[in-house]
Each structure stands twice: as C-alpha cells, then as structure tokens.
Amino acid sequence: MLPPRLLWRDPRPIPRLNRQEPVTVIVSDPGFHEPGGDDHCSMFGYVCQAHDRPYRHESCGDGPHLLALDCQEHGPENMGPQPRMLLFPEGFDPPLSDAQLAWARAEGGADPS
C-alpha cells in the first residue's frame, strides 16, 4: 500500500540551540530486508548512509543525515511508520495520500489525536 521507497523528515524546525543537522529516515526501500512474522531480530541500530557509519545523535558527521534501520542479522531493514511520523505526515516523501495515511495508522494502531 505504501510507496516502495519512502522517506520521512520531521517537518518541525530544529531548535536553535541544537546543532544537529537535518535527519531523514528511510522508512522503506525496495533493496532492504522486509521483516516478517518469522523473523526474531533483536539487535538493531541506525546507520547513517550519508556518512557511512553508525548514527549516534550529533556524533555521526557534518551535514544532513540519511538514517536506515540496521538489523545485525539482515542489514538494512524496512520499518513501519512510527507514531511520531504519523503525527506529522507532512514529512513523508513522497507524500502519503489520505487512504495511505489511514492504512498506515490502522496498521500501526496509532491514534492521531
């Protein structure tokens, strides 16, 4: 239902005193592992693809960050939209239609209010 490649960036402005560069999260990508019910992944982290290193807040590198969820067993892995993403749907690229947003909220059990 969602586009094969989907990115999200928090559309709210970054606080002035926070020097963190813009962070874009890869929600789904056709080349990433698609987790299923049989997967028992337990070790995850974020990798910044823009800087080719693990991502830790404000310690990755200079410039905008492009984060991917990284499973120790499968490598880059798709993830479902998180509650914060569903609260700020204007951050999705490409934008989600009303039907896609309703589907994502129903799948994730997110309450938009």
Side-chain angles (χ1 to χ4, degrees), residues 6-11 23-25 27 84-85 88 91-93:
L6 183 64
L7 307 177
W8 183 80
R9 189 162 122 194
D10 194 332
V23 173
T24 300
V25 179
V27 179
R84 190 177 64 167
M85 295 176 184
F88 299 99
F92 284 110
D93 180 27

Side-chain angles (χ1 to χ4, degrees), residues 28-65:
S28 64
D29 187 284
F32 287 6
H33 174 71
E34 184 64 45
D38 296 337
D39 292 336
H40 301 290
C41 307
S42 58
M43 297 293 292
F44 292 99
Y46 283 100
V47 172
C48 179
Q49 292 192 335
H51 300 111
D52 195 27
R53 64 182 79 155
Y55 175 81
R56 291 174 189 85
H57 184 65
E58 294 192 52
S59 66
C60 170
D62 296 327
H65 303 284

Side-chain angles (χ1 to χ4, degrees), residues 81 86 103-110:
L86 296 174
W103 179 84
R105 284 183 170 146
E107 285 288 306

